[in-house]
């Protein structure tokens, strides 16, 4: 009896593994909520921001079609991201491409490695960025590309162009190892989409009918305003948490957009004697795109100068190239060229002398400039080549371009049997 009591006492007094507390990593609810909000803001910029902006910039008989193309592109890009895009961009793999561990979003962790948020929240935010990049393309092909061809191109473009670049720079791939810096997408999102838009514009050629001025500038302004607001999600989300870096990035982005808008309006006034309302938003977008590379890295004054420089150079580029490249929404200039400008200005405006955070360790300005030039060249060439290959291969199965008669009648009736505006 005594022996039994002694054994019972020792059992109760010993540590119990079933009740032992094990330290388990738990996501930070504040950071997780912030990432979800940022993802929704990015989706606001793409849907409805880009849809409204693109619809307002085209002929009245094609406004509904270009908006519908944006919806189809968003849907196709989202599914492609879930099926393979995220895995190719962020799953463990080689320096060139991610592996297959996260195909169909399998094996997502309770926490994204090295972060305080669940991997599902990271996937959501990255999907919104990929969707935004893909939704830029219909603005460059408006009134020429067929609906089915554009819808089919989006997932191909995301897998062939966007995902490899995202892995190379943001996923720790070979460009990141080379030292290329892109905080929030001047290269990955905007240069890739902008130079892809240039390739598509050249392949499709000019509109056969003389381009008609934007039929609803107020729609473009409304869409541009939504894009401006949604940009807070892009740069704030890349802080990967509700931190001081997120607030600083949003402030710098807003200041760059304001400087860009005012610079474009001033250039319009000097060149034409008038201030273009849509031009003001173009200047803001140029500033937003350019500052994205260094939003949390530059100082306040540097952000303003980046927005100013980008807007002036893009305005000059529009004056020189506007009649040579048929790009209704100026995707190449406002995203491709502005992204290039922002990436190349980053090494200068990250310097502590100009209010930036500086570079870690013994990294020199010359080394960073070399890395940024290499990154710009790779992104431009990869985007144009990949887009051209995808577009031409797809055109074997799906007709790519409208006929002259179809273009004259307008895409709204041909593709959808509806009108963008019904004044009955």
């Amino acid at each position: 009896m005594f022996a039994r009591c002694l054994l019972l006492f020792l059992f109760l007094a010993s540590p119990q593994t079933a009740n032992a507390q094990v330290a388990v990593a738990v996501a930070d609810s504040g950071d997780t909520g912030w990432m979800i909000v940022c993802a929704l803001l990015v989706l606001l910029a793409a849907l409805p921001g880009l849809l409204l902006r693109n619809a307002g910039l085209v002929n009245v008989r094609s406004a509904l079609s270009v908006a519908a193309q944006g919806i189809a592109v968003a849907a196709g890009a989202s599914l492609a991201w879930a099926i393979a895009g995220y895995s190719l961009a962020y799953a463990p793999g080689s320096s060139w491409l991610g592996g297959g561990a996260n195909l169909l979003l399998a094996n997502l962790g309770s926490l994204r490695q090295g972060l305080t948020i669940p991997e599902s929240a990271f996937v959501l935010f990255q999907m919104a960025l990929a969707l935004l990049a893909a939704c830029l393309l219909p603005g460059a092909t408006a009134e020429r590309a067929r609906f089915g061809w554009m819808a089919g191109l989006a997932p191909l473009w995301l897998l062939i162009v966007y995902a490899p670049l995202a892995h190379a720079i943001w996923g720790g791939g070979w460009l990141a190892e080379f030292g290329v810096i892109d905080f929030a997408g001047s290269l990955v999102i905007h240069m890739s989409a902008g130079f892809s838009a240039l390739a598509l514009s050249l392949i499709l050629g000019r509109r056969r009918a003389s381009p008609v001025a934007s039929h609803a500038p107020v729609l473009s302004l409304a869409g541009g305003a939504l894009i401006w607001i949604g940009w807070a999600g892009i740069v704030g989300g890349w802080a990967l948490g509700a931190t001081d870096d997120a607030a600083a990035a949003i402030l710098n982005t807003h200041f760059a957009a304001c400087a860009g808008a005012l610079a474009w309006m001033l250039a319009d006034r000097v060149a034409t004697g008038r201030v273009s309302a849509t031009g003001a938003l173009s200047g803001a977008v140029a500033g937003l795109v350019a500052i994205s590379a260094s939003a949390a890295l530059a100082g306040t004054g540097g952000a303003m100068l980046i927005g100013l420089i980008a807007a002036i150079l893009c305005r000059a580029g529009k004056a020189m190239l506007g009649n040579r490249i048929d790009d209704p929404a100026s995707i190449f200039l406002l995203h491709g060229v502005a992204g290039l400008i922002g990436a190349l200005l980053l090494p200068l405006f990250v310097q502590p002398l100009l209010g930036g955070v500086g570079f870690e360790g013994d990294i020199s300005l010359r080394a960073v400039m070399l890395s940024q030039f290499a990154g710009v060249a790779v992104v431009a060439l990869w985007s144009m080549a990949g887009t051209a290959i995808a577009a031409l291969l797809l055109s074997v199965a799906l007709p790519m371009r409208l006929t002259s008669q179809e273009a004259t009648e307008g895409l709204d009736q041909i593709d959808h049997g509806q009108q963008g505006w019904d004044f009955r």
Side-chain angles (χ1 to χ4, degrees), residues 260-324:
L262 292 173
W264 195 292
M265 287 190 283
L266 179 60
D268 272 350
R269 183 72 177 182
V270 171
T272 67
R274 297 178 180 178
V275 174
S276 166
T278 52
L281 254 298
S282 295
V285 170
L288 292 169
V289 170
I291 193 58
S292 294
S294 56
L297 310 175
T300 301
M304 294 178 184
L305 285 174
I306 289 173
L308 180 76
I309 294 168
I312 291 174
L313 292 179
C314 287
R315 175 64 177 79
K318 188 172 180 64
M320 291 186 293
L321 301 175
N323 293 326
R324 299 182 182 182

Side-chain angles (χ1 to χ4, degrees), residues 18 59 62 67 143 149 153 162 181 186 198 220 255 282-283 308 311 330 349 356 358 366 375:
N59 189 295
S62 297
E143 301 185 68
W149 179 83
L153 178 67
Y162 182 86
I181 303 172
S186 288
L198 174 61
S220 297
F255 295 145
S282 295
L308 180 76
S330 299
F349 288 96
R366 182 174 177 273

Side-chain angles (χ1 to χ4, degrees), residues 132-162:
L132 174 71
C135 284
L136 290 169
L137 300 180
T141 62
E143 301 185 68
R144 287 163 292 166
R146 290 182 178 276
F147 180 87
W149 179 83
M150 193 71 239
L153 178 67
L156 287 177
W157 180 85
L158 187 137
L159 297 176
I160 294 173
V161 175
Y162 182 86

Side-chain angles (χ1 to χ4, degrees), residues 25-28 31 35 111-118 122 239-241:
V26 178
D28 184 281
D31 288 344
M35 294 303 296
L111 280 182
R112 172 69 183 175
Q113 185 177 3
L115 303 179
T116 59
I117 59 173
F122 184 76
L240 299 173

Side-chain angles (χ1 to χ4, degrees), residues 346-349 351 359 362-371:
L346 179 148
L348 299 176
F349 288 96
Q351 296 295 320
F359 301 118
D362 58 351
I363 300 175
S364 67
L365 175 62
R366 182 174 177 273
V368 178
M369 286 295 297
L370 178 62
S371 297

Side-chain angles (χ1 to χ4, degrees), residues 50-61:
L50 283 173
L51 267 63
L52 288 173
R53 184 171 186 273
N54 292 342
L57 290 173
V58 299
N59 189 295
V60 67
R61 293 188 297 274

Side-chain angles (χ1 to χ4, degrees), residues 6-172:
L6 180 61
L7 289 172
L8 180 62
F9 173 79
L10 292 174
F11 176 78
L12 294 174
S14 64
Q16 302 298 306
T17 56
N19 296 324
Q21 293 185 355
V22 180
V24 178
V26 178
D28 184 281
S29 59
D31 288 344
T32 303
W34 174 249
M35 294 303 296
I36 293 172
V37 169
C38 286
L40 294 176
L41 284 171
V42 179
L43 291 176
L44 180 72
L47 302 168
L50 283 173
L51 267 63
L52 288 173
R53 184 171 186 273
N54 292 342
L57 290 173
V58 299
N59 189 295
V60 67
R61 293 188 297 274
S62 297
L64 181 64
S65 176
V66 72
Q69 285 186 11
I71 294 172
V73 164
S78 298
L79 294 180
W81 185 252
I83 293 169
Y86 177 74
S87 191
L88 294 176
Y90 290 105
S94 68
S95 295
W96 295 91
L97 202 61
N102 300 127
L103 293 174
L104 285 171
L105 302 185
N107 306 312
L108 296 184
S110 58
L111 280 182
R112 172 69 183 175
Q113 185 177 3
L115 303 179
T116 59
I117 59 173
E119 191 166 9
S120 58
F122 184 76
V123 171
L124 173 63
F125 176 66
Q126 294 298 330
M127 182 198 72
L129 297 180
L131 185 153
L132 174 71
C135 284
L136 290 169
L137 300 180
T141 62
E143 301 185 68
R144 287 163 292 166
R146 290 182 178 276
F147 180 87
W149 179 83
M150 193 71 239
L153 178 67
L156 287 177
W157 180 85
L158 187 137
L159 297 176
I160 294 173
V161 175
Y162 182 86
L165 289 176
H167 178 77
I169 297 176
W170 287 340

Side-chain angles (χ1 to χ4, degrees), residues 210-237:
S210 298
V212 179
S214 57
H215 84 279
V218 69
L219 278 185
S220 297
L221 289 175
L226 290 173
I227 293 170
W228 192 334
I229 294 169
W231 221 277
I234 300 174
V235 297

